Amino acid sequence: MDFKKIEWIFFLAFLGLNIFLFSIYHAARNEEGNVSSTNQKIDIEQRLEADEIDIKGKLSAEVKEGYYLAAVPTDMNDAINNEKNKNNGSFNNEVSFAGDGHSQVIYTPSTNFYIKDGKETKENVASFLKDTKEVLFGGEYQYLPHESLTDPEYPEIICAQSFEGIPFYDNTSKMEIVLEENDGLLRVSRYMQTHLSAIEKLREKMALYSEKDAVNTLYINNKLPAKSKILWRQLSYVMILQVRGKNVYVPAWLIAVENGNNNIQIETVNAFTNRIITNNTLQKVENTN
Protein backbone atom coordinates (compact mmCIF):
# COMPACT_ATOMS: atom_id res chain seq x y z
CA MET A 1 0.00 0.00 0.00
CA ASP A 2 1.31 3.47 -0.92
CA PHE A 3 1.31 5.17 2.51
CA LYS A 4 2.91 8.28 1.04
CA LYS A 5 -0.02 8.69 -1.31
CA ILE A 6 -2.49 8.22 1.53
CA GLU A 7 -0.67 10.90 3.57
CA TRP A 8 -1.01 13.31 0.67
CA ILE A 9 -4.72 12.56 0.30
CA PHE A 10 -5.33 13.33 4.00
CA PHE A 11 -3.17 16.46 3.78
CA LEU A 12 -5.13 17.82 0.81
CA ALA A 13 -8.46 16.97 2.46
CA PHE A 14 -7.55 18.86 5.66
CA LEU A 15 -6.12 21.74 3.62
CA GLY A 16 -9.40 22.05 1.70
CA LEU A 17 -11.42 21.99 4.93
CA ASN A 18 -9.23 24.68 6.50
CA ILE A 19 -9.56 26.89 3.42
CA PHE A 20 -13.33 26.45 3.55
CA LEU A 21 -13.63 27.35 7.26
CA PHE A 22 -11.24 30.28 6.89
CA SER A 23 -13.31 31.58 3.97
CA ILE A 24 -16.46 31.62 6.13
CA TYR A 25 -14.56 33.43 8.89
CA HIS A 26 -13.05 35.87 6.40
CA ALA A 27 -16.45 36.61 4.86
CA ALA A 28 -17.91 37.39 8.28
CA ARG A 29 -14.97 39.65 9.17
CA ASN A 30 -15.31 41.47 5.86
CA GLU A 31 -18.84 42.58 6.57
CA GLU A 32 -19.35 46.30 6.48
CA GLY A 33 -18.10 47.80 9.75
CA ASN A 34 -21.03 49.48 11.40
CA VAL A 35 -22.54 50.27 14.74
CA SER A 36 -24.65 47.32 15.87
CA SER A 37 -25.56 48.34 19.39
CA THR A 38 -26.52 51.55 21.12
CA ASN A 39 -27.40 52.91 24.53
CA GLN A 40 -30.43 54.75 23.13
CA LYS A 41 -33.32 54.36 25.54
CA ILE A 42 -36.01 55.61 23.16
CA ASP A 43 -37.74 52.76 21.36
CA ILE A 44 -36.90 52.42 17.66
CA GLU A 45 -40.56 52.73 16.64
CA GLN A 46 -40.79 56.09 18.43
CA ARG A 47 -37.64 57.26 16.60
CA LEU A 48 -39.07 56.18 13.25
CA GLU A 49 -42.26 58.10 14.00
CA ALA A 50 -40.28 61.21 15.03
CA ASP A 51 -38.37 61.13 11.72
CA GLU A 52 -41.60 60.52 9.76
CA ILE A 53 -40.35 57.14 8.56
CA ASP A 54 -43.40 55.20 7.52
CA ILE A 55 -43.61 51.51 8.42
CA LYS A 56 -46.49 49.10 8.13
CA GLY A 57 -47.29 47.10 11.25
CA LYS A 58 -45.28 46.67 14.43
CA LEU A 59 -41.68 45.49 14.44
CA SER A 60 -41.27 41.98 15.79
CA ALA A 61 -38.84 41.29 18.63
CA GLU A 62 -39.22 37.51 18.17
CA VAL A 63 -35.90 35.63 18.32
CA LYS A 64 -35.85 33.02 15.56
CA GLU A 65 -33.19 30.42 14.73
CA GLY A 66 -31.23 29.58 11.58
CA TYR A 67 -28.17 27.88 10.14
CA TYR A 68 -25.11 28.33 8.03
CA LEU A 69 -26.15 26.36 4.94
CA ALA A 70 -24.36 24.96 1.89
CA ALA A 71 -26.02 23.84 -1.35
CA VAL A 72 -25.32 23.22 -5.03
CA PRO A 73 -27.35 24.48 -8.03
CA THR A 74 -29.49 21.74 -9.55
CA ASP A 75 -28.95 20.66 -13.15
CA MET A 76 -32.55 21.21 -14.25
CA ASN A 77 -32.02 19.35 -17.54
CA ASP A 78 -31.15 16.17 -15.64
CA ALA A 79 -33.98 16.77 -13.15
CA ILE A 80 -36.60 17.25 -15.88
CA ASN A 81 -35.39 14.21 -17.84
CA ASN A 82 -35.53 12.06 -14.71
CA GLU A 83 -39.10 13.20 -14.08
CA LYS A 84 -40.10 12.47 -17.70
CA ASN A 85 -38.67 8.95 -17.42
CA LYS A 86 -40.68 8.32 -14.26
CA ASN A 87 -43.90 9.88 -15.54
CA ASN A 88 -44.56 10.10 -19.28
CA GLY A 89 -47.32 12.64 -18.69
CA SER A 90 -44.95 15.23 -17.23
CA PHE A 91 -43.64 18.30 -19.07
CA ASN A 92 -45.33 17.61 -22.39
CA ASN A 93 -44.51 21.02 -23.87
CA GLU A 94 -41.11 22.06 -25.20
CA VAL A 95 -38.59 22.75 -22.46
CA SER A 96 -35.52 24.99 -22.73
CA PHE A 97 -32.63 25.63 -20.38
CA ALA A 98 -30.23 28.45 -19.54
CA GLY A 99 -27.39 29.22 -17.13
CA ASP A 100 -24.25 27.33 -16.17
CA GLY A 101 -24.89 23.60 -16.02
CA HIS A 102 -28.49 24.04 -17.23
CA SER A 103 -29.31 25.63 -13.86
CA GLN A 104 -32.49 27.33 -15.13
CA VAL A 105 -35.50 25.73 -16.81
CA ILE A 106 -37.89 27.78 -18.97
CA TYR A 107 -41.25 26.12 -19.49
CA THR A 108 -44.73 26.88 -20.83
CA PRO A 109 -47.34 24.73 -19.05
CA SER A 110 -49.62 22.63 -21.25
CA THR A 111 -52.54 23.33 -18.90
CA ASN A 112 -54.19 26.71 -18.38
CA PHE A 113 -53.67 28.11 -14.89
CA TYR A 114 -55.23 31.36 -13.71
CA ILE A 115 -54.04 33.61 -10.88
CA LYS A 116 -56.39 36.11 -9.26
CA ASP A 117 -54.93 39.35 -7.94
CA GLY A 118 -56.21 39.65 -4.39
CA LYS A 119 -57.02 37.45 -1.42
CA GLU A 120 -57.01 34.29 -3.55
CA THR A 121 -53.55 34.84 -5.04
CA LYS A 122 -51.66 32.77 -2.46
CA GLU A 123 -54.13 29.88 -2.77
CA ASN A 124 -53.97 29.99 -6.60
CA VAL A 125 -50.16 29.94 -6.57
CA ALA A 126 -50.12 27.03 -4.10
CA SER A 127 -52.41 25.03 -6.41
CA PHE A 128 -50.13 25.70 -9.36
CA LEU A 129 -47.02 24.62 -7.45
CA LYS A 130 -48.71 21.34 -6.49
CA ASP A 131 -49.12 20.26 -10.12
CA THR A 132 -46.28 17.74 -10.40
CA LYS A 133 -46.83 17.27 -14.14
CA GLU A 134 -46.08 20.94 -14.81
CA VAL A 135 -43.80 22.00 -11.92
CA LEU A 136 -40.76 20.27 -10.45
CA PHE A 137 -39.97 20.59 -6.71
CA GLY A 138 -43.05 22.82 -6.33
CA GLY A 139 -43.54 21.90 -2.67
CA GLU A 140 -40.17 23.44 -1.79
CA TYR A 141 -41.18 26.96 -2.91
CA GLN A 142 -43.16 29.66 -1.20
CA TYR A 143 -45.00 32.67 -2.60
CA LEU A 144 -43.39 36.10 -1.99
CA PRO A 145 -46.26 38.63 -2.06
CA HIS A 146 -44.07 41.72 -1.62
CA GLU A 147 -42.16 40.94 -4.84
CA SER A 148 -45.13 39.76 -6.89
CA LEU A 149 -47.58 41.65 -9.13
CA THR A 150 -45.62 44.89 -8.75
CA ASP A 151 -45.84 45.87 -12.44
CA PRO A 152 -49.38 46.05 -13.90
CA GLU A 153 -48.00 46.02 -17.45
CA TYR A 154 -45.80 42.93 -16.95
CA PRO A 155 -47.32 40.99 -14.02
CA GLU A 156 -45.20 38.26 -12.42
CA ILE A 157 -45.49 35.96 -9.45
CA ILE A 158 -42.24 35.42 -7.56
CA CYS A 159 -41.64 32.29 -5.48
CA ALA A 160 -38.53 31.25 -3.58
CA GLN A 161 -37.22 27.90 -2.47
CA SER A 162 -37.21 27.71 1.32
CA PHE A 163 -35.53 25.75 4.10
CA GLU A 164 -37.48 25.16 7.30
CA GLY A 165 -39.76 28.05 6.49
CA ILE A 166 -37.07 30.62 5.63
CA PRO A 167 -36.86 31.44 1.89
CA PHE A 168 -33.63 31.80 -0.07
CA TYR A 169 -33.10 35.26 -1.59
CA ASP A 170 -30.95 34.23 -4.51
CA ASN A 171 -31.20 33.69 -8.25
CA THR A 172 -30.15 30.05 -7.84
CA SER A 173 -33.38 29.12 -6.00
CA LYS A 174 -36.10 31.21 -7.56
CA MET A 175 -39.25 30.81 -9.66
CA GLU A 176 -40.58 33.65 -11.80
CA ILE A 177 -44.10 32.95 -13.08
CA VAL A 178 -44.93 35.22 -16.02
CA LEU A 179 -48.61 36.10 -16.38
CA GLU A 180 -50.62 37.46 -19.29
CA GLU A 181 -54.11 38.92 -19.36
CA ASN A 182 -56.74 36.65 -20.86
CA ASP A 183 -60.40 37.78 -20.85
CA GLY A 184 -59.82 39.86 -17.74
CA LEU A 185 -57.96 37.08 -15.94
CA LEU A 186 -54.23 36.50 -15.42
CA ARG A 187 -53.08 33.27 -17.03
CA VAL A 188 -49.72 31.59 -16.46
CA SER A 189 -47.80 32.15 -19.69
CA ARG A 190 -44.50 30.52 -18.73
CA TYR A 191 -42.10 30.26 -15.82
CA MET A 192 -38.36 30.35 -15.21
CA GLN A 193 -37.07 28.21 -12.35
CA THR A 194 -33.79 27.52 -10.58
CA HIS A 195 -33.31 25.12 -7.68
CA LEU A 196 -30.78 24.10 -5.02
CA SER A 197 -29.88 20.50 -4.20
CA ALA A 198 -27.89 18.79 -1.44
CA ILE A 199 -28.73 21.46 1.13
CA GLU A 200 -26.67 20.80 4.25
CA LYS A 201 -26.26 22.42 7.65
CA LEU A 202 -22.70 23.55 8.30
CA ARG A 203 -23.25 24.32 11.98
CA GLU A 204 -25.87 23.74 14.65
CA LYS A 205 -28.95 25.96 14.72
CA MET A 206 -28.21 29.38 16.24
CA ALA A 207 -30.34 32.22 17.63
CA LEU A 208 -30.86 35.18 15.29
CA TYR A 209 -31.21 38.89 15.87
CA SER A 210 -34.81 40.01 15.58
CA GLU A 211 -36.50 42.09 12.90
CA LYS A 212 -36.58 44.97 15.37
CA ASP A 213 -32.83 44.65 16.01
CA ALA A 214 -32.12 44.80 12.27
CA VAL A 215 -34.22 47.93 11.70
CA ASN A 216 -32.56 49.56 14.70
CA THR A 217 -29.12 48.78 13.22
CA LEU A 218 -30.12 50.41 9.92
CA TYR A 219 -31.45 53.45 11.77
CA ILE A 220 -28.37 54.12 13.90
CA ASN A 221 -26.16 53.66 10.83
CA ASN A 222 -28.11 56.33 8.89
CA LYS A 223 -29.60 53.89 6.37
CA LEU A 224 -33.16 55.10 6.99
CA PRO A 225 -33.53 58.71 5.77
CA ALA A 226 -36.15 60.94 7.33
CA LYS A 227 -39.55 60.72 5.60
CA SER A 228 -38.61 57.44 3.91
CA LYS A 229 -40.79 54.31 3.83
CA ILE A 230 -40.02 50.79 4.99
CA LEU A 231 -41.97 48.80 2.41
CA TRP A 232 -41.38 45.26 3.71
CA ARG A 233 -39.13 43.09 5.89
CA GLN A 234 -38.19 39.48 5.19
CA LEU A 235 -35.91 36.99 6.91
CA SER A 236 -34.11 35.06 4.13
CA TYR A 237 -31.02 33.03 3.39
CA VAL A 238 -28.50 35.03 1.33
CA MET A 239 -25.35 33.74 -0.35
CA ILE A 240 -22.07 35.02 1.11
CA LEU A 241 -19.55 32.59 -0.34
CA GLN A 242 -18.88 30.12 -3.14
CA VAL A 243 -16.50 27.26 -2.39
CA ARG A 244 -15.59 24.83 -5.17
CA GLY A 245 -19.06 24.78 -6.73
CA LYS A 246 -20.96 25.03 -3.44
CA ASN A 247 -22.93 28.06 -2.32
CA VAL A 248 -22.77 29.10 1.35
CA TYR A 249 -25.71 30.97 2.90
CA VAL A 250 -26.46 32.86 6.10
CA PRO A 251 -29.83 34.08 7.39
CA ALA A 252 -30.25 37.82 6.90
CA TRP A 253 -32.95 40.45 7.28
CA LEU A 254 -33.91 42.05 3.97
CA ILE A 255 -35.50 45.46 4.43
CA ALA A 256 -36.87 47.41 1.46
CA VAL A 257 -36.51 51.18 1.93
CA GLU A 258 -38.07 53.78 -0.37
CA ASN A 259 -36.67 57.30 -0.10
CA GLY A 260 -38.24 60.60 -1.15
CA ASN A 261 -37.16 60.14 -4.78
CA ASN A 262 -39.11 56.87 -5.11
CA ASN A 263 -35.84 54.92 -5.21
CA ILE A 264 -36.03 51.53 -3.51
CA GLN A 265 -32.96 50.08 -1.79
CA ILE A 266 -32.90 46.56 -0.35
CA GLU A 267 -30.79 46.73 2.80
CA THR A 268 -29.34 43.46 4.10
CA VAL A 269 -28.47 42.79 7.75
CA ASN A 270 -26.71 39.56 8.77
CA ALA A 271 -29.10 37.95 11.29
CA PHE A 272 -26.22 36.18 13.09
CA THR A 273 -24.11 39.29 13.71
CA ASN A 274 -26.61 42.18 13.27
CA ARG A 275 -24.17 43.84 10.84
CA ILE A 276 -25.03 45.45 7.53
CA ILE A 277 -23.85 43.41 4.54
CA THR A 278 -25.79 45.19 1.78
CA ASN A 279 -22.82 45.90 -0.50
CA ASN A 280 -20.55 42.99 0.38
CA THR A 281 -18.64 41.39 -2.46
CA LEU A 282 -19.28 37.68 -2.92
CA GLN A 283 -16.23 35.68 -1.85
CA LYS A 284 -15.14 32.78 -4.09
CA VAL A 285 -12.75 29.95 -3.28
CA GLU A 286 -11.69 27.80 -6.23
CA ASN A 287 -9.95 24.41 -6.28
CA THR A 288 -6.35 24.60 -5.08
CA ASN A 289 -5.27 21.34 -6.75
Side-chain angles (χ1 to χ4, degrees):
M1 184 177 292
D2 191 343
F3 289 101
K4 201 71 175 177
K5 186 176 181 180
I6 293 174
E7 286 179 358
W8 271 105
I9 290 173
F10 276 105
F11 172 76
L12 292 175
F14 281 112
L15 178 62
L17 179 61
N18 286 332
I19 291 173
F20 176 70
L21 293 175
F22 174 76
S23 298
I24 294 178
Y25 171 78
H26 181 68
R29 295 294 296 176
N30 267 354
E31 290 170 355
E32 178 181 340
N34 51 78
V35 181
S36 58
S37 61
T38 177
N39 291 324
Q40 296 170 354
K41 295 182 180 179
I42 302 176
D43 188 80
I44 180 60
E45 289 177 324
Q46 292 177 269
R47 290 182 172 273
L48 295 179
E49 184 178 358
D51 284 348
E52 298 181 57
I53 299 171
D54 184 48
I55 184 169
K56 186 177 180 179
K58 289 187 67 66
L59 292 171
S60 173
E62 179 186 359
V63 177
K64 300 182 179 181
E65 295 181 315
Y67 303 91
Y68 278 103
L69 294 177
V72 295
T74 302
D75 185 321
M76 295 301 288
N77 187 19
D78 288 347
I80 293 290
N81 286 334
N82 289 338
E83 186 62 26
K84 283 184 175 181
N85 291 335
K86 287 191 297 183
N87 186 345
N88 290 330
S90 297
F91 300 94
N92 287 325
N93 279 1
E94 183 179 350
V95 182
S96 60
F97 301 92
D100 294 338
H102 298 128
S103 59
Q104 183 184 62
V105 61
I106 304 165
Y107 182 66
T108 301
S110 58
T111 307
N112 284 331
F113 289 90
Y114 294 94
I115 306 293
K116 293 184 179 180
D117 185 4
K119 294 181 179 179
E120 297 177 69
T121 304
K122 185 176 181 180
E123 182 180 335
N124 294 159
V125 173
S127 296
F128 173 68
L129 294 176
K130 288 177 182 176
D131 192 321
T132 56
K133 292 184 178 181
E134 304 281 11
V135 181
L136 200 59
F137 311 120
E140 298 178 29
Y141 291 78
Q142 67 180 64
Y143 167 55
L144 300 182
H146 52 264
E147 292 190 58
S148 301
L149 300 171
T150 58
D151 187 339
E153 190 173 354
Y154 303 103
E156 280 189 332
I157 293 291
I158 304 299
C159 300
Q161 192 177 352
S162 63
F163 185 82
E164 295 188 2
I166 300 177
F168 289 89
Y169 188 80
D170 186 67
N171 286 332
T172 61
S173 49
K174 183 178 182 180
M175 182 181 290
E176 300 171 72
I177 304 172
V178 180
L179 306 175
E180 63 179 15
E181 189 174 345
N182 187 300
D183 293 331
L185 298 173
L186 294 175
R187 185 178 67 85
V188 174
S189 171
R190 67 186 184 281
Y191 67 80
M192 291 77 75
Q193 178 189 5
T194 54
H195 180 264
L196 291 171
S197 297
I199 299 174
E200 60 178 316
K201 305 166 188 174
L202 299 179
R203 294 177 61 177
E204 294 298 316
K205 185 179 285 190
M206 298 167 60
L208 307 177
Y209 282 90
S210 70
E211 174 184 286
K212 194 170 187 177
D213 292 329
V215 171
N216 188 65
T217 291
L218 292 179
Y219 179 83
I220 63 179
N221 284 280
N222 301 314
K223 299 294 185 180
L224 302 177
K227 299 184 179 181
S228 60
K229 293 181 181 179
I230 297 177
L231 301 178
W232 51 264
R233 296 92 69 190
Q234 173 72 58
L235 180 64
S236 302
Y237 280 106
V238 300
M239 181 163 48
I240 59 165
L241 186 67
Q242 286 183 321
V243 182
R244 297 186 295 280
K246 280 193 174 185
N247 302 343
V248 178
Y249 298 88
V250 297
W253 285 102
L254 303 174
I255 299 166
V257 182
E258 180 182 15
N259 63 27
N261 298 321
N262 294 322
N263 294 322
I264 298 175
Q265 168 75 23
I266 308 296
E267 298 289 352
T268 308
V269 180
N270 187 320
F272 280 143
T273 64
N274 201 25
R275 290 182 174 272
I276 300 168
I277 57 173
T278 302
N279 298 315
N280 271 19
T281 302
L282 181 67
Q283 302 290 318
K284 292 187 178 183
V285 178
E286 304 296 341
N287 285 329
T288 56
N289 296 345

